[in-house]
Amino acid sequence: MTSFHYQTQANDETIEHLLRQKWQAGKKTVHLMRMAKSVTDTDGEPIDWRDPLPQGTMLHFTMPEAVSNYVEEENNLPIVYEDEHILVVNKPAGMDTHPDGQRGTGTVMNRIMHYVRNNGSDYAEHIHRLDKGTAGLILIAKHPIAKTLFDRMLANNEIERMYTAELDGYLKKSKGTLSYPIGRDRSHPTRRRVSVSGQRAVTHFKVIKRSEDTTIVEASLETGRTHQIRVHFSHIGHPVKGDTVYEGSITEDGQYRLTATKISFRHPFTEQPATIEI
């Protein structure tokens, strides 16, 4: 059963306001919680949703209907961060974030499903995804309200994601912004390309290290388009090393050199700044 605790952040906060206004939880979720009397105090006693609560009141939320349907597989992925609301996992290159179909296997979410079920829950959903060849940090919600809040934060550009990439060639500019719209490549089923009719895409970067034939950069996303970093750097003539889909040079292990290294945000439940990095 999925559950979490929350400590009220202001005087006279009500559960009704918390769920409907502050968190803007889904109507179905709110209805199910109300019917199940699933908000209680620390002694397990239900609380009237209209009662004003003192700041610092500890509430317990239970979400019996929260179930994810991923097939579970034994987890061997490092959990970098975890609290009652989210966890962050370090994905290896070469693994998909989630399966294509309901019964698919071999992905991050299959392994995380095994992890959360071993810890008494049935729910886990990714907030964002990484390309199969990209390694690094993925943020995962542990209950539906966290999923709703972090999805909204992602859409509002309130989650900062930082990447490290090794590029082919000597990139002369020490820092800059790549602002090129990205759309589908009609000649290839999965490729993207810079296109005047594409979606707005903005990548900021700064150089960390250079050698004669490669450049290591730190890149942050202002938007989150499919293959954005890969497309942008390939477009300026410096593809990610190993990314042969976008004209990158071949690597010995066949993987390309792009890693999601840092996630930063203001935690919507504690209201404190949080940074998770590798």
Side-chain angles (χ1 to χ4, degrees):
M1 183 177 293
T2 301
S3 63
F4 65 92
H5 292 86
Y6 174 76
Q7 190 171 40
T8 56
Q9 304 292 311
N11 277 317
D12 298 330
E13 201 162 40
T14 67
I15 296 169
E16 186 85 30
H17 178 268
L18 194 62
L19 286 170
R20 294 189 183 278
Q21 303 299 320
K22 186 173 182 178
W23 293 345
Q24 299 178 38
K27 290 183 179 179
K28 181 180 178 181
T29 297
V30 172
H31 174 72
L32 290 172
M33 292 177 69
R34 184 188 289 277
M35 292 300 100
K37 297 182 178 180
S38 60
V39 185
T40 66
D41 61 20
T42 53
D43 295 323
E45 293 296 322
I47 298 175
D48 190 309
W49 284 29
R50 296 163 296 181
D51 284 350
L53 303 171
Q55 182 179 3
T57 301
M58 186 64 73
L59 304 173
H60 183 252
F61 292 77
T62 303
M63 312 188 76
E65 301 294 327
V67 176
S68 296
N69 295 316
Y70 302 108
V71 175
E72 63 176 285
E73 297 180 313
E74 185 172 353
N75 180 61
N76 55 0
L77 302 178
I79 306 297
V80 179
Y81 173 86
E82 183 174 13
D83 60 29
E84 286 192 289
H85 312 285
I86 57 171
L87 61 83
V88 178
V89 63
N90 189 3
K91 183 185 91 67
M95 180 181 291
D96 283 319
T97 299
H98 59 85
D100 287 336
Q102 186 172 331
R103 306 307 297 173
T105 58
T107 74
V108 169
M109 293 311 302
N110 298 118
R111 287 157 174 78
I112 292 303
M113 200 71 242
H114 177 81
Y115 176 80
V116 298
R117 283 186 176 148
N118 275 357
N119 286 277
S121 177
D122 289 305
Y123 184 94
E125 296 293 342
H126 57 92
I127 304 301
H128 61 106
R129 60 180 293 276
L130 295 179
D131 297 334
K132 183 175 183 178
T134 303
L137 302 178
I138 297 178
L139 179 61
I140 296 169
K142 294 175 64 177
H143 58 79
I145 295 176
K147 171 69 171 165
T148 297
L149 287 173
F150 278 93
D151 279 349
R152 189 181 305 130
M153 289 166 62
L154 189 69
N156 292 337
N157 200 29
E158 295 170 354
I159 301 176
E160 182 182 6
R161 292 169 288 161
M162 196 74 71
Y163 295 76
T164 298
E166 184 177 4
L167 310 177
D168 285 329
Y170 188 95
L171 180 59
K172 293 181 180 179
K173 291 187 68 175
S174 294
K175 61 180 179 179
T177 296
L178 307 178
S179 183
Y180 304 106
I182 292 176
R184 290 186 176 273
D185 187 335
R186 295 180 181 178
S187 66
H188 194 282
T190 59
R191 272 177 58 111
R192 299 295 192 272
R193 66 184 182 90
V194 169
S195 167
V196 292
S197 61
Q199 293 179 298
R200 175 177 176 268
V202 180
T203 304
H204 306 285
F205 74 90
K206 65 177 180 179
V207 171
I208 303 301
K209 184 179 179 181
R210 293 185 179 95
S211 65
E212 289 186 4
D213 56 0
T214 63
T215 304
I216 296 175
V217 298
E218 188 176 72
S220 62
L221 301 179
E222 186 173 315
T223 56
R225 308 305 175 200
T226 300
H227 301 180
Q228 179 172 316
I229 291 174
R230 300 163 61 190
V231 172
H232 272 173
F233 282 109
S234 178
H235 180 71
I236 65 169
H238 295 279
V240 175
K241 187 176 180 63
D243 188 7
T244 55
V245 172
Y246 292 103
E247 288 77 47
S249 61
I250 297 173
T251 54
E252 291 181 3
D253 60 5
Q255 302 292 344
Y256 56 80
R257 305 297 187 242
L258 179 61
T259 303
T261 52
K262 185 166 71 173
I263 300 174
S264 299
F265 52 87
R266 180 169 292 277
H267 201 299
F269 293 95
T270 67
E271 300 185 5
Q272 297 299 311
T275 296
I276 300 103
E277 59 186 321
I278 51 173

